[in-house]
Amino acid sequence: MTPACVVPRRRSLVYGAPMKSCLPWLLLGLVVGCGGPQEPTGAARTPPPDYELHEWGVITTSASGTLVTAGPHIDEPQIAVEKPVLYFHAREPVSVQLEVLPGVGYEAREHYPPTHGLHWSMTIVPDGCAAAHAYPRQCAATDGICEVRELARYETRDAACLQVGDARLPLLFYRLGSAGAVSLPAAVQVHGAEVRAHATRGEVSGWRVAYVDGEVRAAPVTLGQTWHTLPTPDQPWTVAAESLNASLRAAGLTGAERGAFQRAWWLPLFGTEPVSAEATGAADEASEEALPDEDQLAEQHPRQELEQVEEERMLRPSAEVLDVMFYLLPAEEVDRISHLAATPAPNRVARAFLVRHVL
C-alpha cells in the first residue's frame, strides 16, 4: 500500500500572518507533492508507427434467378467479393502483420502474394518499388477465376513498396466468395422488365445504370424498408460516374487509387473505359497520376501480358446488356464482409467497397 501523504503539524506564520492565511499555499503543496503531474522516470514512450491502409473492392451479385417469387424454386445468390486491393502509405519503414478475416458466409477464393490463409508479414518501405513486379499467369483458385493476372493494371505511383518474403510489390490482393445466402444492405427482385428493391437495414442510396434507347443512362436510387420499383434511367451516365468518384474521394482514396478503381470497374459499371483523369475527376494534385499512360505500363510489364489481360477484360458484358444497380457500403458494413487486423494498427484506414447488383 502506498503510504499516505502526511504534512507534519507545526505552528506556521508567514511574515507574522496567522495559519489560515497559509492554507492556499499548503493546498498547493499537497497537490504537487501527493497527486500532481509527475515527470516520467523511465524511457520516453515510442510513438506509434505512422502509416495508412487504403482498400477498394466490389461485391457483385446477380438478381437473375435469385429470390424469384413467380416459381416454386428460389436460387441462392452467387456473391463474389471481387478484387479487394490493399495499398499502404508510410513516412518511414515499418514492419506490419496483417490478417484478413472473412465475414460470416464468406470464404477466401484467391489471394496474393501466396501466404498461409490471409495473413501477411511485411515491411512497408515509404518509397515506391524501383522495379516492376511480375504477377503470375496462373493461379489455383477453386472457382476457376484468376484475377491475380490483372493486378498490374491497379498499381499506383503513390503507394509504398511492400517487402513480403522475397517479393517487392506495391499492393496486396485477395478475393472472397459466397455460394450461400449472405446479408447485404439491399434486396432485389426482377419480374420481367420490372425491378424492385428495398433496404434490409437503414437506408440505401445509389444509382441504376442501364442501356436505354441506344444510350447509357443513369438514375439515382434511394431505398427504404419497403419494396420500391427502380426508376428507368434518364440522366447521362457521367452524372453517376462523377457521384461515385466523389464518394470514393470522401471514403479516403487518393486520386491514383480512384484511377485504379476506374480502370477496373468503369467498363462493367458504365459500359466504357475511363477517358482521362480530368474527365473523371480522379486527379486531385499534380503528384497524383490517376491514369498512367500505356507507354508507362508497357515499360513496366510485357506488352503481350497487357494485351492478354485486355482481351480477357473485353469479354465482359457490353453496353447492350448493361443494367446494374450499385451503392457504396458504409464502413461498418464493410467490416461485416472482411475485417482487417493489423499489428501495429495503422493511424488511418480508408476502405471503399461497392455493391454491384447485376439486374
Side-chain angles (χ1 to χ4, degrees), residues 5 27-38:
C5 182
L27 293 175
L28 178 61
L30 287 171
V31 171
V32 172
C34 301
Q38 301 288 322

Side-chain angles (χ1 to χ4, degrees), residues 60-120:
T60 295
T61 182
S62 172
S64 301
T66 66
L67 302 176
V68 177
T69 59
H73 181 64
I74 298 178
D75 292 327
E76 298 291 357
Q78 297 285 334
I79 296 179
V81 183
E82 300 179 279
K83 258 187 291 297
V85 181
L86 295 140
Y87 307 96
F88 294 79
H89 303 267
R91 297 179 183 275
E92 58 186 18
V94 55
S95 295
V96 173
Q97 301 284 328
L98 176 70
E99 184 175 12
V100 178
L101 303 172
V104 176
Y106 294 95
E107 61 184 13
R109 299 285 175 84
E110 186 183 359
H111 66 279
Y112 189 81
T115 183
H116 178 67
L118 295 178
H119 183 279
W120 290 275

